[in-house]
Amino acid sequence: MHPILKPALRRGWRDLNTVQFGVAPAHAVVLGPVDTATGTFLTLLDGTRGVALLRDEGRRMGLPDGHVDALLHRLTRAGLLDDATGGGPAFDLLRKRQGVLDRLRPDLAALTVLSPEPAAGARKLAARRSMRIQVRGTGRVGTVIASVLSAAGVGHVDVRDGGCVEPWDVAPGGLPVESVGERRDTAAYRAVRKAAPDRPPRPDRRSGPPPSQAQPQSPSESQALPPAEEPALSLVIIAPRDGLSAHTPDPHAAEELITSGTPHLYAGVVEATGVVGPLVLPGGTACASCLSLDRTDRDPTWPRLLAQWRSGRQLQVPACDLALATAVAGLTAAHALAFLDGELPSSTGARWEASAPGLDWHARPVWAHPDCSCGAGGRSKGEQTSEGGEQHDTMTG
């Protein structure tokens, strides 16, 4: 291990004996009192020295025996210490791809802030490369989500949709204007690949051509591969171009996800309201059917209204404010990445909504319905909450 104070946390001395790491209260830590010798020693924690060499440096500075180890332990416990050489074999491969790693350095820095253990951020970033996400919908919301996830290091991002790109599908970070008229899935696939910092290793097709001769696969071609050759789906994001299908999702459309136990997250814009969530963990949290049953319980006329809204062909271009769609895409990608990195975002069993022009984001719980066949109805409401808080620690120098 080569200890390094997490560079992403800005450091400042509150007084001669107290140092603060971090600006925002959510992740800031204050350490003190810190004596002069210990404060000087902190400058040596730059990732260039192993623990044995740091002990030698401490003795040369006159620090008592055991002080360096105790200090490293306290800094680790406070979530302030990283390992400049950690991350495991998968991250070692990234280190060899300097250009790729440079693209991902801001994401790595953020993960070090969010991950208290040394090298945990590096391991999470490397793990993203082997994950597979599917985004259903390639409009102003869906394609931006897919591109952001790809740019953030998720190695396999599939996109699904039908039809051809319309002028109103174009969005910054999503489908470019030159894609108008092309197949939506093909154009979105190209946008995702363009955003990726690296192309992950292709599946091992022993009966096919060697990797050096392999051509880029289109979404339809990749779906035709045997399942064993593709990573399992870690998450499906349902971001339909029809905002009604995001606000009031069709339970039948997600039946295979419930049956297979695949986590899925809803997102979209209906009229002037953005929606993110719920994140459905099949059998654990409320699903689209739970949402439908609950709404019908509260409003018996809801199925009649929904049938009218869903019937016939949409003749008008749906309202989808570009700024609101971009905000929804960003928040959805952030929740998806949190889930992929091992956390439960606040959209788990809940739905975030914001309506223009105020754009005041608020969460609405989505409870599992006792009559739903998804199996989540047996869980208590308290089991669908997440926790968060600030970190505090005190160190004696």
Side-chain angles (χ1 to χ4, degrees):
M1 178 177 178
H2 283 57
I4 180 174
L5 290 171
K6 293 182 177 178
L9 293 173
R10 290 174 172 84
R11 199 183 323 170
W13 290 87
R14 300 176 65 91
D15 54 43
L16 292 177
N17 303 109
T18 309
V19 60
Q20 177 172 323
F21 295 85
V23 177
H27 304 106
V29 178
V30 176
L31 297 177
V34 179
D35 59 51
T36 302
T38 300
T40 302
F41 181 82
L42 290 178
T43 64
L44 303 180
L45 300 178
D46 59 3
T48 62
R49 302 168 179 84
V51 175
L53 184 55
L54 287 171
R55 293 192 188 108
D56 293 339
E57 296 282 1
R59 281 191 290 269
R60 278 193 288 269
M61 295 172 61
L63 295 176
D65 290 341
H67 184 82
V68 169
D69 290 280
L71 176 62
L72 295 178
H73 174 73
R74 295 298 299 277
L75 291 171
T76 300
R77 194 176 66 177
L80 297 174
L81 211 60
D82 206 357
D83 181 5
T85 59
F91 193 76
D92 288 339
L93 294 177
L94 270 180
R95 284 194 180 95
K96 297 176 182 178
R97 309 289 297 275
Q98 190 63 42
V100 176
L101 185 56
D102 285 345
R103 282 276 305 272
L104 295 171
R105 285 194 187 280
D107 303 274
L108 174 60
L111 285 171
T112 63
V113 172
L114 300 174
S115 307
E117 303 84 5
R123 289 193 295 271
K124 290 178 179 179
L125 184 65
R128 288 180 183 179
R129 193 166 181 260
S130 64
M131 293 180 178
R132 178 172 167 240
I133 307 300
Q134 185 181 93
V135 179
R136 300 183 180 181
T138 59
R140 285 185 161 189
V141 176
T143 307
V144 177
I145 293 172
S147 296
V148 170
L149 292 176
S150 180
V154 178
H156 306 264
V157 181
D158 302 336
V159 284
R160 283 191 179 184
D161 209 343
C164 296
V165 178
E166 300 286 356
W168 48 85
D169 293 325
V170 173
L175 295 174
V177 65
E178 56 268 21
S179 67
V180 173
E182 296 183 18
R183 286 174 51 95
R184 282 196 176 96
D185 55 358
T186 302
Y189 176 80
R190 187 167 57 249
V192 167
R193 298 295 277 179
K194 184 177 180 180
D198 184 30
R199 295 191 176 188
R202 297 187 182 278
D204 182 12
R205 304 181 182 92
R206 300 187 185 280
S207 59
S212 60
Q213 300 177 14
Q215 299 297 318
Q217 298 284 330
S218 70
S220 58
E221 289 172 336
S222 65
Q223 292 163 18
L225 294 172
E229 296 184 350
E230 291 285 355
L233 278 172
S234 301
L235 178 68
V236 171
I237 299 176
I238 303 174
R241 287 174 286 110
D242 176 11
L244 180 64
S245 297
H247 181 273
T248 309
D250 182 0
H252 299 293
E255 283 181 350
E256 86 279 8
L257 299 176
I258 296 294
T259 301
S260 63
T262 305
H264 48 287
L265 173 64
Y266 292 94
V269 174
V270 58
E271 297 167 356
T273 296
V275 176
V276 178
L279 170 62
V280 180
L281 307 179
T285 64
C287 67
S289 180
C290 293
L291 187 65
S292 177
L293 290 169
D294 178 70
R295 185 60 186 261
T296 302
D297 288 345
R298 292 184 287 110
D299 183 1
T301 65
W302 183 251
R304 183 185 308 160
L305 290 171
L306 198 56
Q308 295 175 68
W309 292 333
R310 286 176 173 168
S311 64
R313 181 179 179 183
Q314 179 73 37
L315 300 180
Q316 302 295 327
V317 176
C320 186
D321 177 82
L322 182 58
L324 179 58
T326 304
V328 168
L331 185 60
T332 303
H335 282 231
L337 288 171
F339 176 73
L340 297 178
D341 294 336
E343 305 295 333
L344 286 181
S346 57
S347 57
T348 309
R351 187 164 68 178
W352 285 91
E353 297 181 6
S355 297
L359 297 180
D360 179 20
W361 287 99
H362 54 276
R364 299 182 182 277
V366 181
W367 304 119
H369 198 281
D371 295 335
C372 183
S373 60
C374 71
R379 297 176 65 86
S380 66
K381 295 181 178 181
E383 291 180 280
Q384 298 187 40
T385 60
S386 60
E387 298 178 356
E390 300 181 7
Q391 291 184 348
H392 301 279
D393 190 44
T394 300
M395 178 188 71
T396 301

